[in-house]
Amino acid sequence: MQHLIQSWHIIFMMIFTVSVVVTMDPAKATQEAQQSASQEDEIVVTGQKKRMAEFQNLIINHFRVSGGGRNNGQYARFAQPVCPSVAGLAERQSKAIEDRIRAIAEMAEIEVAKEDCRPNIFVAVVEDGGSEIKLLRSKKNRLFGSLTDRERDKIEQSGGPVYSWKATQTLGSDSRHSANAGSLTFMADANGSGGGAALGGAAVNGQVTQVKSKISRSTVEGIGYSYLLIDSKALQGVSAAQLADYAAMVSLIDIQVGSDIEVPDGSILSLFSETEDKSLRPTSLSGGDLLLLRGLYKVPANVKASLQRSAMIHTMSEGLKNPERIDR
């Protein structure tokens, strides 16, 4: 009986489809098809404009500028190959997240260090990020690099569940070395082991650069180390893949984090945004996220923030026109 009903259903649908095709005016059908296609194109264009506006807002209002003002400073990025280290999770999960961060960096055309490298990206899952930040400030204050006391206070008192900052350094634009004479040392040892493999110290030798230009800078702002702490209670319902994509995005860009930050729809940056329906969380890095990373790291290292913004926006605009070409 069930088989008979299914057969009649199929026959009915065939008859309905045929009757529609036969009775429809061909000219009218063509006109309606063209109108529908035009409406779909308009929707796509509108959607792209909306996403571009959201990412422009993110860049302008939430990217940190180092070494100068909004136009003459720079958006810092890694000058050395990136090397992630994840702590606070099972070894298998930590390794999977490290591998994913590496993979995302490679997709964004960011240089990645070999496996036996000294970490410069630190991701840790902790019980209470605020308490950990307070302890680090008292025991390992140099971890916060050039951040002012006000900026450090803001991180500590943010309430989490994400705490992120970068230790940046000024480099010569024609080298990967510090542009200041002498040496600059970051003590990236949070556990007091004195510069071990897990959180090791590193010194950068000084070197003066001779580059001069109206549109470029004689120095560049580089990320020496990236730190990301995440409260464990916030990981309920979050997969290792989601955490890895979020960690990659936040670690590779010097960006503000917090519940009050406006992020583009679908961006992995909204993973820990306040929402009642957890199922609406992004499942992975978005195409726009990846284009944003590519745009920042694709532009020459010594250009000013104004040109960096233009490059990022151009890369995203071109990429969103051909979303099928974005490899993820």
Side-chain angles (χ1 to χ4, degrees), residues 125-136:
V125 176
V126 298
E127 288 189 11
D128 185 349
S131 297
E132 292 289 344
I133 297 295
K134 185 176 182 180
L135 180 63
L136 288 174

Side-chain angles (χ1 to χ4, degrees), residues 171-177 179 207-212 217-220 301-302:
L171 308 170
S173 62
D174 52 358
S175 75
R176 289 186 174 184
H177 300 286
Q207 181 170 325
V208 178
T209 178
Q210 303 299 325
V211 177
K212 293 182 179 180
R217 291 161 47 99
S218 60
T219 59
V220 300
N302 64 333

Side-chain angles (χ1 to χ4, degrees), residues 108-257:
E109 301 174 22
I110 301 170
E111 191 173 357
V112 178
K114 296 180 180 179
E115 288 287 343
D116 58 344
C117 53
R118 173 170 289 179
N120 52 13
I121 291 177
F122 299 98
V123 180
V125 176
V126 298
E127 288 189 11
D128 185 349
S131 297
E132 292 289 344
I133 297 295
K134 185 176 182 180
L135 180 63
L136 288 174
R137 290 185 68 179
S138 64
K139 301 293 184 180
K140 296 292 178 182
N141 198 40
R142 291 185 181 180
L143 287 176
F144 297 90
S146 61
L147 293 182
T148 65
D149 285 338
R150 182 178 180 181
E151 289 172 324
R152 301 178 192 198
D153 289 341
K154 185 176 181 180
I155 294 171
E156 179 184 338
Q157 299 166 12
S158 68
V162 176
Y163 306 81
S164 174
W165 72 99
K166 307 291 188 294
T168 60
Q169 53 189 322
T170 302
L171 308 170
S173 62
D174 52 358
S175 75
R176 289 186 174 184
H177 300 286
S178 171
N180 299 318
S183 65
L184 181 63
T185 303
F186 290 113
M187 297 302 296
D189 183 7
N191 59 10
S193 61
L199 289 170
V204 182
N205 294 325
Q207 181 170 325
V208 178
T209 178
Q210 303 299 325
V211 177
K212 293 182 179 180
S213 172
K214 291 183 178 180
I215 63 172
S216 64
R217 291 161 47 99
S218 60
T219 59
V220 300
E221 301 302 316
I223 298 175
Y225 296 93
S226 171
Y227 302 94
L228 173 63
L229 305 184
I230 303 173
D231 290 335
S232 57
K233 61 179 179 291
L235 296 182
Q236 184 176 0
V238 175
S239 69
Q242 287 174 300
L243 178 58
D245 284 20
Y246 178 85
M249 191 70 180
V250 172
S251 298
L252 295 169
I253 296 177
D254 195 3
I255 188 174
Q256 299 172 357
V257 297

